[in-house]
Amino acid sequence: MTDNPNSEQAEFWSDGGGLDWVTFDTQLDELFAGVNAALLRIAKPKPTDTVLDIGCGTGATTRDFAAQTAQADGIDISTTMLAHAQKTAPTNTTFTRADAQTELLPADHYDHLVSRFGVMFFDNPIAAFANVRRALKPTGQLTMACWAPFKQNPWFTIPRFIATDLLGSPPPFDPRAPGPFAFADTDYALGILGDAGFINAAVQTHDIPLSLSGNAAHAAKLSSYIGPADSVIRAMNGTAADKAKIIAKTQEKLRDYEQNGTVTVPAKIHLYTAKNH
Ligand SMILES: C[S@@+](CC[C@H](N)C(=O)[O-])C[C@H]1O[C@@H](n2cnc3c(N)ncnc32)[C@H](O)[C@@H]1O
């Protein structure tokens, strides 16, 4: 932990990573539509409910919950992604720049805390979950989607292994450090939720196909810009030419998943739930 918590993440998500996310916003929302459907199915919000979307990014999950509830608020540390979210905000949503770990949120306010891949990036996850839990009503529920292990997700393994074959591997990374797979270990994540004061923490691993209309070339570009292949390219100072090679090889592999103008890649995603105390 640093004096200025989550400052590296704020920079990454407001600059390079966040800019890419905004560029590919429409495709990412199509790709992850099944994750939002699972979150809604599990959270079962009522029309009168209030929802806080943690790490809302460009706001797709906030908007999907807003369509079924009284109010959905998104918080995020990225100025870039929030600016994009605000362009298409329904009247019953707000999008606010806030660090989920430290922001003073209204106490006992929300019926639901939800997140699609927005909770794995905290310097101090116990502090962050304890902080957002205070904003949950005593009867409220947390429902969040996090990636299952990297090796179970070909959307990531395919471009990442192509990138490391070409550029070499970056130094080993603490699997629990902030990053997309920080909550892949379910015992660890359930422990964090318990230490943060949640009760009845549970997880189910879902098979949720990631589908993207268009051909393998289209999907290869997206999978090489967002996620572990991009991390390898950044860490190993890969060039634009390296990136082009990685995209071309990823395209060859993704052809196996292309059918009738859609690329569909299987994925394993942990859906965690927990209640307030
Ligand atoms: C993988 S993106 C997911 C974005 C969005 N939930 C989606 O599924 O499209 C992770 C998001 O978490 C946000 N984030 C990371 N650390 C955060 C923090 N401490 N507080 C609030 N948001 C954070 C990032 O800015 C980014 O928007």
Side-chain angles (χ1 to χ4, degrees):
M1 222 193 323
T2 62
D3 290 345
N4 188 4
N6 302 313
S7 53
E8 272 179 39
Q9 292 295 326
E11 195 181 322
F12 173 78
W13 290 108
S14 295
D15 194 9
L19 291 173
D20 285 343
W21 202 278
V22 168
T23 303
F24 291 102
D25 182 47
T26 311
Q27 291 100 309
L28 286 165
D29 286 343
E30 184 187 354
L31 193 74
F32 298 148
V35 183
N36 278 4
L39 285 168
L40 282 161
R41 221 170 32 242
I42 293 167
K44 295 190 189 70
K46 295 196 288 295
T48 50
D49 281 351
T50 51
V51 180
L52 180 68
D53 179 10
I54 305 160
C56 63
T58 52
T61 308
T62 323
R63 287 190 294 276
D64 282 357
F65 273 83
Q68 300 197 15
T69 59
Q71 177 74 30
D73 299 329
I75 57 168
D76 201 283
I77 206 168
S78 161
T79 47
T80 316
M81 293 169 78
L82 282 172
H84 196 71
Q86 275 150 357
K87 288 184 192 161
T88 51
T91 50
N92 64 337
T93 60
T94 63
F95 289 108
T96 306
R97 190 190 180 283
D99 182 338
Q101 187 174 315
T102 54
E103 181 79 5
L104 191 59
L105 297 161
D108 298 344
H109 185 77
Y110 292 100
D111 297 292
H112 294 274
L113 302 177
V114 302
S115 185
R116 182 181 80 181
F117 307 139
V119 290
M120 301 91 91
F121 304 92
F122 306 131
D123 270 353
N124 184 335
I126 296 173
F129 279 103
N131 187 48
V132 291
R133 190 180 60 74
R134 284 189 278 275
L136 192 59
K137 288 179 184 170
T139 52
Q141 171 161 319
L142 168 75
T143 311
M144 60 187 203
C146 303
W147 291 106
F150 164 74
K151 288 199 172 141
Q152 297 176 17
N153 280 297
W155 180 257
F156 294 120
T157 53
I158 291 170
R160 159 104 191 181
F161 289 139
I162 289 170
T164 53
D165 279 353
L166 183 72
L167 299 170
S169 295
F173 187 73
D174 173 359
R176 293 173 179 175
F181 300 100
F183 279 4
D185 175 344
T186 53
D187 287 343
Y188 167 69
L190 292 172
I192 298 265
L193 294 177
D195 289 346
F198 284 96
I199 61 164
N200 298 342
V203 62
Q204 283 193 340
T205 305
H206 289 234
D207 289 293
I208 301 181
L210 307 180
S211 277
L212 188 66
S213 47
N215 58 19
H218 183 64
K221 191 167 176 201
L222 176 61
S223 78
S224 305
Y225 270 85
I226 308 271
D230 180 59
S231 316
V232 174
I233 295 166
R234 285 173 199 267
M236 305 305 283
N237 297 318
T239 61
D242 294 328
K243 193 162 198 157
K245 281 186 207 156
I246 292 164
I247 292 173
K249 290 201 165 184
T250 303
Q251 178 182 342
E252 279 168 36
K253 293 266 184 199
L254 287 181
R255 276 210 196 96
D256 294 346
Y257 299 91
E258 185 185 327
Q259 209 176 16
N260 301 328
T262 301
V263 174
T264 303
V265 179
K268 295 242 180 240
I269 293 167
H270 295 322
L271 270 297
Y272 289 95
T273 53
K275 294 277 188 191
N276 204 348
H277 62 88

